[in-house]
């Protein structure tokens, strides 16, 4: 079991609507449904001895520091292939999302091959990193250390955020890595390719595995006459990229800046970009749900040919199993700064919920079980999306109304809770935030049930198996 297709969005604090840092990713999979949950990992639940399920890599106990922090996670609930914690925010208000599966090329694989025995992967990184971070840059240092010592068997990207900074790291071969700080006024969209382009060794805002610059020169890996473009050096530029990866970035760029232009298959779309406005939570959710609306490539649209509708891979699709926006807010008390916006299932038929992370537990309907159960919102969202997919023109408007209603209600609860906690003790704050999370989860669950009821009512007369009685 492997989650291999995701879309990452990063937004610096000066590029966001409310001055928060935001790192987001849709966690996508393959043909098999992968149920995802929402859990709180307290220090006593953090592994003191660790062995990967997939690779059987054992981590030296000395590399599992004492006094881990509490953190939230969005794990695969079956546990069959390991934890796959995916994303969360810890007690120091440091956020991490991992991982974005990315591309590579034969040149670097011939120098530093992916490890074929042991090594770390997406299964491991959040569990081995997030509970030990006090700043975003600590995540780069921690993962860099783990990669150089234990290696990896796959190419991955991951992001870290705190109140002030966002860092994005990509693995290079079996043991090397690069990382770049995202400028405060910029945003990033990172699909399933190696994404970091312009790179400056030794400058602030750039970090890399020791000896990487020397390796590039020694093996004559740089195709450019000036500077370093890491996507050119270590990444790919394939037909698959032109149909699977680049169009997603192109569509998001043109949503955030309509003057971006270009073509869907363009290979050299920039990593660091600037929107024509400040970016909201709703903007990120919209692009994570997008399917080339108002273009010939929209599978639900009426502009293109059947062939065009299947030309490019959209961001929102049936294989979205969990999507998060990890928001570290400024201008609020630290106790309420960390918010893990979360939704399950295909993003075309769900709504984000802004869960506080300074809590005692997570809502039961978001913890999820491995078997179909309509008391759990993961399975409820899957059902809504599969029914909605049968006639998007009819059901799409119902979903829009449902999502607007749900977001408005959650915003209201969040505003009221933010005001309330200013007068509470630390213990009372945790209890109040846990209660607020439960209230939002219940509201969105009930709204989703209502959405399904409205879809059934609308779809009753659209069934093929019918015969009108006209007597």
């Amino acid at each position: 079991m492997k989650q291999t297709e995701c879309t990452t969005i990063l937004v610096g604090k000066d590029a966001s609507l409310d001055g928060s840092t935001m790192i987001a990713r849709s966690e996508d999979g393959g043909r098999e449904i992968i149920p995802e949950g929402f859990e709180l990992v307290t220090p006593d639940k953090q592994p003191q001895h660790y062995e990967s399920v997939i690779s059987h890599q054992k981590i030296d106990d000395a590399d599992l520091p004492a006094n881990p922090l509490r953190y939230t996670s969005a794990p695969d609930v079956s546990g069959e292939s390991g934890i796959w914690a995916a994303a969360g925010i810890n007690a120091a208000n440091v956020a991490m999302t991992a991982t974005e599966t990315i591309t590579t090329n034969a040149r670097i694989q011939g120098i530093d091959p992916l490890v074929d025995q042991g090594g770390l992967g997406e299964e491991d990184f959040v569990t081995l990193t997030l509970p030990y971070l006090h700043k975003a840059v600590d995540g780069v240092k921690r993962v860099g250390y783990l990669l150089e010592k234990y290696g990896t068997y796959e190419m991955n990207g991951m992001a870290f955020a705190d109140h002030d900074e966002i860092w994005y790291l990509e693995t290079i071969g079996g043991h090397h890595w690069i990382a770049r700080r995202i400028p405060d006024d910029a945003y990033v969209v990172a699909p399933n390719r190696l994404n970091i382009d312009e790179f400056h060794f030794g400058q602030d805002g750039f970090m890399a595995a020791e000896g990487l610059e020397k390796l590039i020169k020694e093996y004559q890996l740089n195709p450019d006459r000036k500077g370093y473009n890491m996507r050119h050096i270590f990444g790919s530029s394939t037909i698959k990229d032109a149909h699977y990866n680049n169009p997603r970035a192109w569509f998001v760029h043109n949503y955030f800046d309509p003057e971006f232009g270009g073509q869907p298959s363009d290979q050299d779309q920039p990593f660091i970009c600037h929107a024509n406005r400040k970016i909201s939570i709703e903007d990120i959710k919209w692009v994570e749900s997008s399917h080339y609306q108002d273009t010939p490539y929209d599978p639900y649209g009426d502009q293109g040919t059947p062939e065009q509708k299947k030309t490019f891979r959209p961001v929102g699709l049936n294989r979205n199993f969990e999507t998060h926006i990890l928001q570290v807010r400024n201008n609020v008390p630290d106790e309420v700064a960390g918010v893990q916006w979360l939704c399950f299932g295909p993003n075309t038929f769900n709504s984000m919920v802004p869960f506080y992370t300074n809590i005692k537990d997570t809502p039961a309907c978001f913890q999820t079980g491995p078997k179909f159960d309509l008391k759990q919102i993961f399975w409820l969202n899957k059902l809504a999306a599969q029914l909605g997919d049968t006639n998007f023109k009819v059901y799409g408007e119902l979903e829009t109304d449902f999502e607007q209603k749900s977001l408005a209600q959650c915003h209201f609860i969040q505003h009221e809770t933010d005001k309330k906690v200013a007068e509470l003790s630390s213990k009372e704050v945790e209890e109040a935030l846990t209660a607020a999370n439960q209230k939002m989860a219940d509201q969105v669950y009930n709204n989703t049930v209502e959405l399904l009821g409205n879809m059934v009512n609308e779809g009753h007369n659209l069934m093929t198996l019918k015969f009108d009685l006209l007597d």
Side-chain angles (χ1 to χ4, degrees):
M1 184 273 293
K2 191 174 190 305
Q3 284 142 209
T4 57
E5 289 85 20
C6 309
T7 307
T8 294
I9 308 287
L10 314 174
V11 180
K13 64 180 181 180
D14 293 339
S16 70
L17 185 61
D18 67 348
S20 60
T21 58
M22 297 189 288
I23 60 177
R25 184 170 59 92
S26 62
E27 189 179 10
D28 309 337
R31 292 179 178 271
E32 176 189 358
I33 295 175
I34 305 170
E36 309 286 348
F38 180 43
E39 295 183 3
L40 181 72
V41 183
T42 52
D44 60 296
K45 295 180 182 177
Q46 177 66 8
Q48 296 180 339
H49 312 281
Y50 188 87
E51 181 177 349
S52 301
V53 173
I54 293 175
S55 68
H56 303 292
Q57 176 67 63
K58 292 183 178 180
I59 302 299
D60 295 339
D61 288 352
D63 289 332
L64 298 171
N67 302 316
L69 298 174
R70 178 206 69 221
Y71 62 101
T72 54
S73 74
D76 295 353
V77 297
S78 74
E80 294 174 357
S81 298
I83 299 172
W84 295 70
I89 301 176
N90 71 19
N93 287 324
V94 178
M96 177 181 180
T97 180
T99 68
E100 181 78 30
T101 302
I102 60 173
T103 55
T104 183
N105 61 53
R107 294 185 297 279
I108 183 60
Q109 291 300 314
I111 300 165
D112 180 18
L114 296 173
V115 299
D116 56 9
Q117 292 185 343
L120 303 176
E122 182 171 354
E123 170 199 345
D124 313 297
F125 284 116
V126 171
T127 300
L128 294 177
T129 304
L130 183 56
Y132 310 114
L133 307 182
H134 292 270
K135 295 186 296 183
V137 71
D138 293 344
V140 176
K141 297 174 182 177
R142 169 79 175 165
V143 171
Y145 168 79
L146 294 172
L147 287 169
E148 292 179 38
K149 180 172 181 177
Y150 297 103
T152 183
Y153 51 84
E154 59 188 11
M155 291 284 289
N156 283 311
M158 59 199 78
F160 312 89
D162 56 29
H163 280 286
D164 296 311
E165 295 187 346
I166 297 174
W167 283 83
Y168 182 72
L169 178 149
E170 293 183 313
T171 65
I172 303 294
H175 297 84
H176 291 81
W177 55 274
I178 52 175
R180 182 170 181 181
R181 184 185 184 278
I182 309 307
D184 294 341
D185 64 347
Y187 79 89
V188 164
V189 53
N192 303 115
R193 66 180 183 198
L194 196 140
N195 291 282
I196 296 176
D197 48 18
E198 179 183 346
F199 199 86
H200 301 281
F201 286 98
Q203 288 191 14
D204 290 343
F206 298 86
M207 298 174 67
E210 185 176 355
L212 187 63
E213 185 177 20
K214 180 180 178 182
L215 181 147
I216 293 171
K217 293 177 180 178
E218 178 181 354
Y219 288 94
Q220 299 177 305
L221 298 177
N222 191 356
D224 298 324
R225 297 186 185 279
K226 293 183 178 180
Y228 293 96
N229 183 314
M230 294 307 197
R231 198 183 306 158
H232 294 172
I233 296 171
F234 297 118
S236 62
S237 182
T238 65
I239 295 297
K240 180 179 179 179
D241 288 327
H243 286 260
Y244 197 86
N245 293 318
N246 305 337
R248 279 182 277 162
W250 167 84
F251 188 76
V252 174
H253 289 319
N254 277 281
Y255 176 75
F256 286 144
D257 179 9
E259 296 184 2
F260 183 87
Q263 297 298 319
S265 58
D266 287 347
Q267 299 281 12
D268 270 337
Q269 298 173 53
F271 178 63
I272 301 295
C273 293
H274 298 84
N276 69 348
R277 62 190 183 281
K278 292 192 174 182
I279 297 171
S280 68
I281 289 287
E282 287 80 4
D283 286 326
I284 299 176
K285 173 56 166 68
W286 192 89
V287 296
E288 291 284 13
S289 307
S290 63
H291 41 87
Y292 304 112
Q293 291 93 318
D294 295 326
T295 77
Y297 313 114
D298 183 359
Y300 289 141
D302 53 14
Q303 293 187 31
T305 65
E307 291 75 20
Q308 286 177 308
K309 294 173 186 291
K310 297 180 180 180
T311 301
F312 301 131
R313 190 270 209 202
V315 178
L317 79 175
N318 66 318
R319 295 184 284 106
N320 303 140
F321 293 129
E322 174 267 323
T323 302
H324 51 266
I325 305 171
L326 307 179
Q327 181 184 31
V328 183
R329 301 188 294 170
N330 289 296
N331 304 314
V332 297
D334 282 346
E335 291 85 353
V336 296
V339 179
Q340 183 160 347
W341 294 77
L342 184 65
C343 59
F344 293 142
N347 289 330
T348 46
F349 278 87
N350 62 19
S351 180
M352 283 276 181
V353 183
F355 289 123
Y356 293 100
T357 56
N358 180 21
I359 53 175
K360 299 174 71 69
D361 202 359
T362 57
C365 68
F366 272 79
Q367 292 179 9
T368 313
K371 295 184 179 180
F372 187 82
D373 182 351
L374 290 182
K375 295 189 294 294
Q376 298 168 343
I377 200 162
F378 176 91
W379 295 107
L380 203 64
N381 285 340
K382 281 294 296 175
L383 176 61
Q386 288 181 226
L387 178 56
D389 187 73
T390 63
N391 195 326
F392 188 78
K393 287 185 178 180
V394 171
Y395 300 128
E397 285 301 313
L398 296 175
E399 192 283 332
T400 298
D401 293 342
F402 148 78
E403 190 166 3
Q404 287 291 312
K405 176 182 177 180
S406 297
L407 285 170
Q409 291 170 336
C410 286
H411 278 307
F412 182 82
I413 294 169
Q414 189 180 42
H415 293 321
E416 292 296 302
T417 305
D418 284 351
K419 295 173 185 176
K420 177 182 177 180
V421 300
E423 303 173 356
L424 302 178
S425 68
S426 296
K427 182 178 180 181
E428 290 173 329
V429 167
E430 286 186 5
E431 293 173 349
L433 300 185
T434 303
N437 283 1
Q438 185 66 56
K439 188 174 181 180
M440 290 187 287
D442 290 343
Q443 190 70 68
V444 173
Y445 178 88
N446 291 334
N447 290 349
T448 307
V449 172
E450 181 182 47
L451 169 65
L452 273 166
N454 292 336
M455 293 167 72
V456 169
N457 287 334
E458 286 290 327
H460 172 66
N461 288 319
L462 300 176
M463 292 178 65
T464 300
L465 189 64
K466 64 181 179 179
F467 194 90
D468 291 330
L469 202 62
L470 300 178
D471 56 0

